[in-house]
Amino acid sequence: MNILIWPTQVFSILCKSHADRNVYPSAGVLFVHVLEREYFKGEFPPYPKAGDSSNDPITFNTNLKGYPDRPGWLRYIQRTSHSDGVLYGSPTAEHVGKPTIIEITAYNKRTFETARHNLVINIMSTEEFPLPYQAEFFIKNMNVEEMLASEVLGDFLGAVKNVWQPERLNAINITSALDRGGRVPLPINDLKEGVYVMVGADVQFSSCLREVETPQNQLRCSQEMEPVISCDKKFRAQFHIDWCKISLVDITKVVPVHSNRPDLGTGVLPDIGEYNPPSESLKSRDYFADFLITLAVPSAIALVLFIILGYSMCCRREGVIQLVHHSSIQKSTKEIRSMSKNREISWPLSTLPVFHPVSGEVVPPIHPDSYETTSMPLMQTQPNLQSQIQIPQQQSSGK
């Protein structure tokens, strides 16, 4: 376990992964645990096939022992299978005195080997933490794994120290913007997800941090414009802070809200006796009568309707008239169709006799008398005309 101590007593707990390691974070202080790939590589047995074992893809799975997920205050992130995993979070006073055993399982995706270790987190209680004055910053140009690096986090706390001038300063929590409902940025122009960083101090907020509460800056924030902050230049070199999203909280003035929770009880149902299944000697039921009723009732209704319809159509005057009228229409239709088959059809003009342009003789029609006139086209194509008509040759004057 490594404790970072800055000139203003900045506390942040960092530790590296070890098998069955006990760590002792404090409530109200940021806890970071790095799962190093290099350490777990030695836990895997040698792979018989040739390959670059130094670049094996390794992923981690973390969960509370006996449960499928981690505690609510503990988060985990690993961007790629070739980067280290990080456990981070901020335990509260509710978790003091309760050892938390985290099972860490490493998977080698090339050899399909696994290694498992336990991390025992013993949360300690201190009177110094949490500090009474807490400020939360939203940094737009950082991802959470970049901000968890000790060097970057130390630089940010150093910039906050220059602005705030506290005697004690520590990081309380770090949260990704995606966990607050933010959107995944597009992979262009090196856009970042953004990260919320909460820090605590033992002195009142500085005038620079209070500038965002002025009416002018509140108006600019409502118009989606950047507020004018005098100390922004101390962060701008490395951290782009959205000052409209800064949150300043004095926990000494926060009124605790106590909700009356109902008594959950013991969780054991009252004893209402044993379950008595139905007796095996049940009487058999005859469904034949139900079957007859199911068929007889619809059949009787259909028969009554058929009789009523037959009486209306055959026995009443209006029905007889409709039947006679329908019969006469059918007879007329058949008669018209028979007449249309026997009528003579006038020949189209293209099929009448024509005069030969050379001899002047009359050329007979291009069809025989027995040709089916109903299927004859109105216009004859030139190839058909040449194949069906042979033009007589002009005889010489000597013959």
Side-chain angles (χ1 to χ4, degrees):
M1 181 185 305
N2 298 328
I3 301 178
L4 301 179
I5 303 178
W6 296 85
T8 55
Q9 294 185 355
V10 176
F11 298 93
S12 181
I13 299 176
L14 296 172
C15 55
K16 297 182 179 180
S17 59
H18 292 278
D20 300 329
R21 178 75 180 271
N22 285 270
V23 293
Y24 300 89
S26 298
V29 180
L30 177 65
F31 166 75
V32 180
H33 182 79
V34 181
L35 307 179
E36 295 184 348
R37 297 172 66 255
E38 295 296 333
Y39 174 80
F40 282 91
K41 286 178 182 178
E43 298 294 324
F44 298 124
Y47 192 57
K49 296 183 180 180
D52 186 9
S53 60
S54 61
N55 199 27
D56 285 350
I58 299 176
T59 59
F60 301 95
N61 182 41
T62 59
N63 63 280
L64 183 65
K65 188 174 182 179
Y67 294 88
D69 204 353
R70 297 173 299 276
W73 63 271
L74 189 62
R75 296 185 179 92
Y76 168 75
I77 186 172
Q78 183 184 17
R79 188 66 64 175
T80 64
S81 59
H82 297 280
S83 60
D84 296 335
V86 181
L87 285 169
Y88 66 100
S90 179
T92 61
E94 299 177 357
H95 308 96
V96 173
K98 301 177 182 178
T100 303
I101 302 177
I102 303 298
E103 292 182 342
I104 303 172
T105 306
Y107 298 91
N108 190 323
K109 291 188 173 182
R110 186 175 73 92
T111 62
F112 302 101
E113 297 289 344
T114 61
R116 178 170 294 179
H117 299 274
N118 291 334
L119 177 68
V120 182
I121 303 176
N122 303 281
I123 302 173
M124 308 299 293
S125 176
T126 58
E127 298 180 356
E128 299 179 353
F129 303 109
L131 296 176
Y133 303 99
Q134 300 176 1
E136 186 178 57
F137 301 85
F138 177 63
I139 305 174
K140 299 183 289 184
N141 64 327
M142 287 287 176
N143 290 332
V144 62
E145 69 275 7
E146 298 173 346
M147 198 67 199
L148 289 172
S150 58
E151 298 82 3
V152 178
L153 182 60
D155 293 341
F156 177 75
L157 294 177
V160 174
K161 184 260 301 183
N162 293 332
V163 173
W164 203 337
Q165 297 295 330
E167 295 183 0
R168 292 182 300 169
L169 181 71
N170 75 286
I172 298 177
N173 199 6
I174 293 180
T175 308
S176 173
L178 301 182
D179 297 333
R180 300 282 187 91
R183 294 184 177 182
V184 178
L186 296 175
I188 56 176
N189 299 331
D190 196 22
L191 296 178
K192 304 293 185 178
E193 298 171 357
V195 60
Y196 290 88
V197 181
M198 178 177 289
V199 298
D202 58 347
V203 297
Q204 288 281 353
F205 304 108
S206 63
S207 59
C208 173
L209 299 179
R210 292 284 188 182
E211 290 179 2
V212 72
E213 298 178 350
T214 60
Q216 295 82 3
N217 285 330
Q218 290 295 320
L219 178 62
R220 294 178 66 89
C221 289
S222 63
Q223 298 176 351
E224 297 184 357
M225 300 174 60
E226 293 187 3
V228 179
I229 306 297
S230 60
C231 57
D232 180 61
K233 59 183 178 180
K234 297 183 179 180
F235 298 90
R236 181 65 62 175
Q238 188 176 359
F239 306 100
H240 296 172
I241 298 178
D242 188 348
W243 291 99
C244 292
K245 294 184 179 181
I246 190 174
S247 175
L248 305 177
V249 178
D250 184 359
I251 63 176
T252 60
K253 298 181 181 179
V254 176
V255 179
V257 178
H258 300 282
S259 59
N260 296 326
R261 297 183 179 181
D263 186 12
L264 301 179
T266 59
V268 180
L269 295 177
D271 186 10
I272 58 177
E274 297 182 356
Y275 171 69
N276 296 322
S279 176
E280 296 181 357
S281 60
L282 295 176
K283 296 182 180 180
S284 61
R285 182 178 177 182
D286 188 9
Y287 292 95
F288 182 72
D290 299 339
F291 176 73
L292 291 180
I293 294 174
T294 303
L295 293 180
V297 174
S299 301
I301 295 175
L303 181 60
V304 172
L305 294 177
F306 179 75
I307 293 174
I308 295 174
L309 180 61
Y311 173 77
S312 301
M313 297 298 295
C314 300
C315 300
R316 295 182 63 85
R317 183 173 179 273
E318 293 83 358
V320 174
I321 293 175
Q322 290 182 0
L323 292 176
V324 173
H325 182 62
H326 180 69
S327 178
S328 63
I329 291 175
Q330 286 186 339
K331 291 180 180 179
S332 301
T333 303
K334 292 180 180 179
E335 185 178 358
I336 292 174
R337 289 179 178 177
S338 62
M339 293 174 60
S340 63
K341 293 180 180 180
N342 298 328
R343 67 179 180 176
E344 294 183 358
I345 302 176
S346 59
W347 297 105
L349 295 177
S350 60
T351 62
L352 294 178
V354 296
F355 293 95
H356 195 275
V358 179
S359 62
E361 297 179 357
V362 177
V363 179
I366 62 176
H367 59 84
D369 295 338
S370 62
Y371 192 79
E372 180 67 26
T373 58
T374 57
S375 62
M376 179 179 292
L378 295 178
M379 299 296 294
Q380 293 291 332
T381 59
Q382 189 67 20
N384 294 335
L385 184 62
Q386 294 179 358
S387 62
Q388 297 180 14
I389 303 176
Q390 294 182 358
I391 301 176
Q393 300 292 334
Q394 184 179 3
Q395 298 179 358
S396 60
S397 59
K399 295 182 182 181

